[in-house]
């Protein structure tokens, strides 16, 4: 474990060897996370501009036994980027915010190489500039940085077609816990030469190394995009619609998002200016669907055909197909603003679960029944149903404050996670473990896997300086 702190004496000693503006007192923005549930310890932040400076910093921390908390865009939802108050050893926050260079783009190879501090939206723009697509897309893409997204193996709305962040990465550059640099920024699709260090570091949440650069996969841009909101019979009908859509449209389905009436109700209450696809009528269950087609195919026609087939089978009862890019943007704004509406209402307990697709209806029904036995709570169930990932959030009764029900949080969370686990699922689908879900990992994690994780951590980071207190207890 770390044996020293990144206090003023340590920073003063380091400052003689680095640029004058490298270190600063950590402002409040470095000490908070989006949901406001964790408060970081006040200390210092280092903001290097190059991989070599990161290497020198890590080496100095390793020699002194000072912990390091890698920091990307600060958008993580499980406090992996927060060093909690009360820790005896104050770590150094290492922010990648100044490493923002897109190093190279290879359109013929469909590859882009970027510093870890590049904001996701800027990577998307760079890909668009060479008529390519970088498909990772999520609500925080205007502030999330690619190093943090790789560190947490972020998901987003396009996993169904393109995969998680892990699936979009060809190679990494990273600084190891002793300060050495792993030069793994390859552009190869095949490299079968020993242990896969790239996939080991992706999803490790900064506990094994500091990612400083990434070689990313690009894709051809669809010639045309279609978006529709379908009103479905019930939660089970979501799977029927997905199966029918796949049979008609193949791999052209980019996103398949489940939304519930409660989410639209919350939007109406907190952001009434947001336009809804069915006006003031909020259907109980809806699917927001994106398709991307090659040249020569018409998405409007494809979505109309899908609707007619699904209506004939009793799967859907209504739909609105976007007639313009502006209307498509309005549809997606609804989905992307639901988390903010949730935040304004105030959840008693929030969950990021995943279960096998076939178990989704059972999960929803069982959890609703279990929670109803605890109290008269509202539930907003939404998310990436196309890949089995649901955000299942529990709220107080209308007109009541979440503060009145916080004593129920632990019981509700245990119910939700127990049922997900029983159905072959997981308590964390895309947000990671961080510090918020360490107890869940200890409870639900496979013993052999946990033992292997600890052995890897001890081997690569024997001094325990990399994001101490995250993921593993």
């Amino acid at each position: 474990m770390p044996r020293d702190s990144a206090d003023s004496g340590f920073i003063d000693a380091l400052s003689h060897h680095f640029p004058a503006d490298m270190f600063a007192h950590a402002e409040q923005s470095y000490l908070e996370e989006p949901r406001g549930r964790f408060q970081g310890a006040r200390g210092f932040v280092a903001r290097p501009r190059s991989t070599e400076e990161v290497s020198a910093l890590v080496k100095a921390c390793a020699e002194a036994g000072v912990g390091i908390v890698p920091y990307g865009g600060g958008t993580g939802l499980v406090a992996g980027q927060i060093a909690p108050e009360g820790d005896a050893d104050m770590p150094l926050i290492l922010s990648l915010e100044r490493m923002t260079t897109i190093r190279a783009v290879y359109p013929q190879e469909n590859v882009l190489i970027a510093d870890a501090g590049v904001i996701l939206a800027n990577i998307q723009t760079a890909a668009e500039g060479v008529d390519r697509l970088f498909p990772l897309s999520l609500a925080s893409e205007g502030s999330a940085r690619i190093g943090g997204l790789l560190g947490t193996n972020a998901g987003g709305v396009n996993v169904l077609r393109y995969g998680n962040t892990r699936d979009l990465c060809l190679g990494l550059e990273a600084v190891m816990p002793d300060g050495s640099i792993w030069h793994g920024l390859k552009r190869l699709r095949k490299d079968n030469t020993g242990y896969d260090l790239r996939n080991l570091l992706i999803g490790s949440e900064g506990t094994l190394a500091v990612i400083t650069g990434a070689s990313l996969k690009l894709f051809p841009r669809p010639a045309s995009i279609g978006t529709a909101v379908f009103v479905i019979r019930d939660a089970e009908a979501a799977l029927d619609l997905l199966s029918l859509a796949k049979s008609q449209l193949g791999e052209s389905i980019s996103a398949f998002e489940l939304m519930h009436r409660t989410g639209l109700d919350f939007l109406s209450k907190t952001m009434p200016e947001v336009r809804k696809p069915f006006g003031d009528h909020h259907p109980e269950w809806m699917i927001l669907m994106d398709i991307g087609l090659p040249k020569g195919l018409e998405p409007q026609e494809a979505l109309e055909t899908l609707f007619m087939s699904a209506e004939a089978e009793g799967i859907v009862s209504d739909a609105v197909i976007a007639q313009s890019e502006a209307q498509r943007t309005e549809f997606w704004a609804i989905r992307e603003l639901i988390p903010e509406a949730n935040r304004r209402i105030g959840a008693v307990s929030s969950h990021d679960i995943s279960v096998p697709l076939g178990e989704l209806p059972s999960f929803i029904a069982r959890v609703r029944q279990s929670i109803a036995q605890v109290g008269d709570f509202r539930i907003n169930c939404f998310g990436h149903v196309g890949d089995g990932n649901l955000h299942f959030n529990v709220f107080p009764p209308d007109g009541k404050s979440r503060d009145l029900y916080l004593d129920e949080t632990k019981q509700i969370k245990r119910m939700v996670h127990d049922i997900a686990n029983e159905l072959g699922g997981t308590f964390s689908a895309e947000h990671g473990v961080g510090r918020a879900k360490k107890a869940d990992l200890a409870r639900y994690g496979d013993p052999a896997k946990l033992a292997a994780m600890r052995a890897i951590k001890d081997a690569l980071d024997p001094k325990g300086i990399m994001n101490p207190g995250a993921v593993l207890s």
Side-chain angles (χ1 to χ4, degrees):
M1 295 298 295
R3 60 178 183 272
D4 206 344
S5 294
D7 55 21
S8 57
F10 177 72
I11 297 301
D12 286 344
L14 282 188
S15 62
H16 299 295
H17 306 285
F18 291 94
D21 62 349
M22 172 73 76
F23 303 102
H25 288 280
E27 298 176 355
Q28 188 62 30
S29 60
Y30 294 104
L31 310 177
E32 299 173 334
E33 45 82 32
R35 291 176 176 170
R37 298 176 184 175
F38 292 83
Q39 176 65 40
R42 293 195 175 276
F44 291 89
V45 59
R47 294 172 292 181
R49 288 184 169 87
S50 68
T51 300
E52 290 70 27
E53 287 185 352
V54 175
S55 173
L57 279 168
V58 173
K59 184 176 181 181
C61 288
E63 291 174 350
V66 170
I68 297 169
V69 176
Y71 191 93
T75 60
L77 298 176
V78 290
Q81 74 276 33
I82 299 293
E85 287 184 309
D87 280 8
D89 301 310
M90 182 170 59
L92 176 67
I93 300 170
L94 199 162
S95 172
L96 281 300
E97 66 194 78
R98 288 175 169 172
M99 295 181 60
T100 58
T101 299
I102 292 179
R103 304 185 190 182
V105 184
Y106 302 90
Q108 288 185 318
E109 300 179 20
N110 284 321
V111 175
L112 180 149
I113 299 177
D115 281 352
V118 180
I119 290 173
L120 173 55
N122 294 340
I123 291 176
Q124 295 168 341
T125 300
E128 185 177 0
V130 293
D131 195 29
R132 296 294 184 269
L133 172 72
F134 184 65
L136 181 61
S137 179
L138 30 76
S140 61
E141 60 193 32
S143 54
R145 300 180 188 275
I146 192 63
L149 294 166
L150 286 161
T152 56
N153 188 30
V157 298
N158 291 330
V159 172
L160 176 63
R161 182 170 185 173
Y162 297 103
N164 290 304
T165 310
R166 179 188 308 280
D167 303 302
L168 304 176
C169 181
L170 292 171
L172 293 177
E173 175 188 82
V175 175
M176 306 305 290
D178 63 354
S180 60
I181 301 173
W182 172 47
H183 301 281
L185 281 181
K186 295 187 176 181
R187 305 179 344 239
L188 304 177
R189 306 284 168 154
K190 289 184 176 181
D191 181 12
N192 198 7
T193 54
Y195 298 146
D196 191 348
L197 189 54
R198 173 195 61 186
N199 275 325
L200 179 62
L201 297 187
I202 295 174
S204 65
E205 303 186 49
T207 63
L208 300 179
V210 179
I211 294 173
T212 54
S215 177
L216 304 168
K217 295 180 185 178
L218 303 180
F219 295 82
R221 300 186 67 81
S224 56
I225 296 174
T227 303
V229 181
F230 295 88
V231 177
I232 56 174
R233 181 187 65 242
D234 50 29
E236 187 170 359
L239 302 184
D240 297 331
L241 181 60
L242 179 60
S243 178
L244 181 62
K246 285 184 173 180
S247 68
Q248 291 189 6
L249 301 169
E251 297 303 313
S252 67
I253 307 167
S254 301
F256 196 86
E257 298 285 301
L258 181 70
M259 299 187 295
H260 188 262
R261 173 191 298 149
T262 303
L264 272 63
D265 290 345
F266 286 177
L267 280 171
S268 292
K269 185 171 184 177
T270 62
M271 289 173 270
E273 70 279 6
V274 176
R275 295 182 62 178
K276 319 297 189 306
F278 303 98
D280 294 333
H281 171 60
H282 298 169
E284 182 176 11
W285 292 105
M286 293 152 284
I287 290 292
L288 172 61
M289 184 175 172
D290 244 13
I291 61 173
L293 299 178
K295 188 175 181 179
L297 298 179
E298 175 52 55
Q300 179 95 5
E301 181 180 327
L303 289 169
E304 289 174 354
T305 299
L306 175 62
F307 170 74
M308 289 187 290
S309 300
E311 185 184 37
E313 295 186 24
I315 298 171
V316 305
S317 59
D318 200 357
V320 179
I321 300 173
Q323 300 299 306
S324 65
E325 182 61 27
Q327 190 175 25
R328 177 177 181 269
T329 300
E330 287 180 357
F331 288 177
W332 273 104
I334 295 168
R335 169 61 185 86
E336 291 167 355
L337 287 171
I338 286 176
E340 174 59 21
N342 286 346
R343 189 190 67 79
R344 296 185 187 185
I345 295 294
V348 175
S349 188
S350 300
H351 315 94
D352 165 46
I353 66 91
S354 181
V355 295
L357 275 176
E359 303 293 350
L360 278 171
S362 175
F363 171 83
I364 293 171
R366 286 182 58 184
V367 176
R368 281 182 173 276
Q369 184 177 21
S370 296
I371 291 176
Q373 295 172 1
V374 179
D376 184 24
F377 293 101
R378 292 175 292 174
I379 295 172
N380 189 11
C381 174
F382 67 102
H384 322 301
V385 69
D387 54 53
N389 177 196
L390 287 180
H391 301 304
F392 196 96
N393 300 339
V394 181
F395 298 83
D398 191 19
K400 298 295 182 69
S401 169
R402 66 185 290 268
D403 296 338
L404 300 174
Y405 300 90
L406 294 182
D407 289 344
E408 316 290 348
T409 298
K410 186 174 181 180
Q411 180 184 2
I412 292 172
K413 198 172 293 291
R414 177 65 61 84
M415 283 180 175
V416 174
H417 291 169
D418 278 355
I419 293 173
N421 187 63
E422 290 168 12
L423 294 174
T426 177
F427 64 88
S428 185
E430 63 178 0
H431 293 166
V433 176
R435 291 172 175 82
K437 296 186 177 183
K438 288 194 299 181
D440 295 310
L441 180 61
R443 175 177 173 81
Y444 301 106
D446 180 84
K449 177 183 177 180
L450 292 176
M453 288 173 63
R454 291 191 180 97
I456 292 169
K457 172 70 171 175
D458 290 342
L460 294 183
D461 184 21
K463 294 185 177 181
I465 67 166
M466 300 305 303
N467 212 359
V471 183
L472 292 170
S473 299

